[in-house]
Amino acid sequence: MDDELRERVEAAGEAAALFNALKHGSDPDVGAIMGPLMGENPEFRPHGDEIPGVIAPIVNRVAGMDESERRDRLGEVAPERLATLEADDEGDDHVLPDLPNAEEGEVVMRAAPNPNGPWHMGHARMPAVIGTYKERYDGEFICRFDDTDPETKRPDLGAYDAILDDIAYLGFEVDRVLRASDRLDTYYDHARDLIDAGGAYTCDLPAEEFSELKNAGEPSPNRDKDPETVHDEFDGMIAGEYDAGEMVLRVRTDIEHKNPALRDWVAFRMIDTPHPREEAADYRCWPMLDFQSGIDDHLTGVTHIIRGIDLQDSAKRQRFVYDYFDWEYPEVLHWGHVQLDEYDISLSTSTIKSLIEAGDLTGWDDPRAPTIAAVRRRGIRGEAIVESMTELGMSTSDVDLAMSSVYANNRDLVDDEADRYFLVRDREDDPAVALPIEDAPDAPAPDA
């Protein structure tokens, strides 16, 4: 290595050491900066065995600086890299908009997955954003499994732990875990209170017949039952005295509301299929999601809800219940759906499950599947997914997530510490020279 090249190595090594130390808030390490240094300066590679000795004294000198000294020095030797750091620092504070009416230490948010299967990549957006807001506001992150549909969205017993594992992989700690199927008696008690408040009635009209009346703005003949009869029939629902479709409990709203979807909506229905969880297998009277979720959000102190723009009616339905109980409704933020490129498989739990059952995919972690488990198996860090998801912001329009952004974020995370290996091909016109390596690990089998 001549003097000119040595000076270039020293300059590049100092910039890399300063950037690494400031980015990670720790002392630099020769091994950590060798990869980026060699990647950004291919002309250094023939001297790879000499470079660690050249930059080691520089790395040690940077390790002895405080943060202010490192920042000042990086501004002198590589101002463009300091600008990159400062842009990243500023962006971290403004990736997501501030929550409305949020106070530090008082924000409570929840992810409410239906555990009918492990998560696909679209599901990662909710915990990524909630976890980020939790950290910003020193708030609370609740994971509540909305598993009150044992038939059409039947829970997968393995999904409960898989989802919690995915949240941990993304880098967040859940403060509370709830399973709605453990809370049936709580929903029954609030249904009884709602009946007493004049806010609910039992209805035995077939769904088609009620729909015709509802669309015409006409009430069900069951609407004026006395509270005693409603209580008796609701208790009969809880006792399993009715079959599916025979009886429901409806929330009394405005039967002439301009939006027919809000007219006297169903709060409880009968389901004959037993729940797969042993603790909930004996129940047959199940709350609809809008009732269950609305009750739980209030009881757990949720302050801010994020939901899809297509679920705007959920808040409107739940507000009828909140008004009966004189409760304050949480702040609501809506967003559009996430579209994902690169995969030929849709972001659909049922679709992925059917492909696995048909043998077209080997499992939820098949690299061809657009699932968190598959991306994790490929070595992508959870933080890279979080960064890509939060960069999407909170638009109410559908947004596109390019997997290339996940890969780019992951590369930034691993670049400083990834091991790099070089390959010399054996070509007939330029044969490689075999070099013995002492104390090396055994070579993998040819088919490994």
Side-chain angles (χ1 to χ4, degrees), residues 96 137 151 209 213 233 241 250 304 320 408:
L96 294 172
Y137 290 99
E151 190 169 54
E209 186 175 342
L213 290 173
E233 291 181 345
E241 296 174 3
R250 294 186 178 278
H304 295 76
F320 284 105

Side-chain angles (χ1 to χ4, degrees), residues 63-141:
M65 299 179 179
D66 61 28
E67 182 178 353
S68 177
E69 292 172 325
R70 291 170 179 171
R71 192 170 291 272
D72 290 344
R73 180 58 179 164
L74 184 60
E76 294 174 9
V77 301
E80 74 286 352
R81 303 194 76 167
L82 179 61
T84 299
L85 279 175
E86 291 175 343
D88 288 345
D89 290 342
E90 181 178 354
D92 285 344
D93 292 334
H94 301 91
V95 170
L96 294 172
D98 291 341
L99 290 174
N101 300 313
E103 299 290 338
E104 185 172 354
E106 297 181 6
V107 170
V108 180
M109 304 184 75
R110 49 77 167 170
N114 184 315
N116 60 329
W119 270 350
H120 55 63
M121 282 290 287
H123 289 124
R125 189 182 185 191
M126 185 68 77
V129 170
I130 289 178
T132 301
Y133 276 131
K134 170 190 170 176
E135 293 176 351
R136 182 187 300 186
Y137 290 99
D138 189 23
E140 185 176 3
F141 183 168

Side-chain angles (χ1 to χ4, degrees), residues 181-182 276-283:
S181 57
D182 286 332
R277 292 186 67 227
E278 183 178 349
E279 300 89 337
D282 292 335
Y283 291 100

Side-chain angles (χ1 to χ4, degrees), residues 94 150 194 197 205 217 361 365 388 395 401 409-410 414 436 438 447-448:
H94 301 91
L194 189 60
L205 286 185
L361 294 175
D365 65 348
S388 295
S395 171
L401 172 64
N409 287 331
N410 192 69
V414 304
E438 297 180 358
D447 60 348

Side-chain angles (χ1 to χ4, degrees), residues 200-353:
Y201 64 94
T202 46
C203 181
D204 61 0
L205 286 185
E208 298 79 4
E209 186 175 342
F210 177 83
S211 182
E212 291 178 4
L213 290 173
K214 176 190 73 173
N215 291 335
E218 298 178 6
S220 163
N222 294 281
R223 204 170 195 259
D224 295 326
K225 289 178 181 176
D226 61 84
E228 292 76 13
T229 300
V230 176
H231 274 295
D232 288 344
E233 291 181 345
F234 183 62
D235 287 343
M237 290 176 65
I238 295 172
E241 296 174 3
Y242 302 97
D243 293 330
E246 278 193 276
M247 185 73 73
V248 298
L249 183 74
R250 294 186 178 278
V251 176
R252 182 181 281 105
T253 64
D254 178 0
I255 200 62
E256 297 180 352
H257 195 284
K258 62 182 180 180
N259 183 353
L262 306 184
R263 299 173 183 172
D264 286 16
W265 51 275
V266 174
F268 284 82
R269 80 290 201 203
M270 302 300 298
I271 295 179
D272 295 332
T273 305
H275 198 282
R277 292 186 67 227
E278 183 178 349
E279 300 89 337
D282 292 335
Y283 291 100
R284 292 294 179 271
C285 178
W286 287 91
M288 297 295 286
L289 182 60
D290 282 332
F291 185 87
Q292 168 254 305
S293 179
I295 296 299
D296 278 337
D297 285 338
H298 174 76
L299 295 181
T300 56
V302 169
T303 60
H304 295 76
I305 299 171
I306 302 175
R307 55 166 59 108
I309 192 68
D310 56 320
L311 298 177
Q312 293 183 81
D313 283 349
S314 289
K316 296 174 183 177
R317 292 190 191 98
Q318 291 170 347
R319 285 182 188 276
F320 284 105
V321 175
Y322 275 58
D323 287 344
Y324 280 116
F325 290 141
D326 196 24
W327 293 344
E328 182 178 353
Y329 200 77
E331 297 282 352
V332 180
L333 299 89
H334 291 100
W335 60 19
H337 292 289
V338 174
Q339 315 285 343
L340 191 66
D341 71 353
E342 186 170 307
Y343 293 95
D344 296 327
I345 301 170
S346 65
L347 294 178
S348 164
T349 301
S350 59
T351 297
I352 297 169
K353 184 178 295 186

Side-chain angles (χ1 to χ4, degrees), residues 14-75:
E14 182 181 17
L18 290 164
F19 183 83
N20 177 269
L22 289 168
K23 180 178 180 180
H24 298 286
S26 61
D27 290 340
D29 176 80
V30 172
I33 69 171
M34 276 294 291
L37 191 65
M38 303 295 272
E40 296 166 6
N41 302 276
E43 70 275 17
F44 291 176
R45 292 174 186 171
H47 306 277
D49 56 341
E50 301 175 70
I51 288 178
V54 173
I55 66 173
I58 298 170
V59 171
N60 289 337
R61 186 168 68 249
V62 172
M65 299 179 179
D66 61 28
E67 182 178 353
S68 177
E69 292 172 325
R70 291 170 179 171
R71 192 170 291 272
D72 290 344
R73 180 58 179 164
L74 184 60

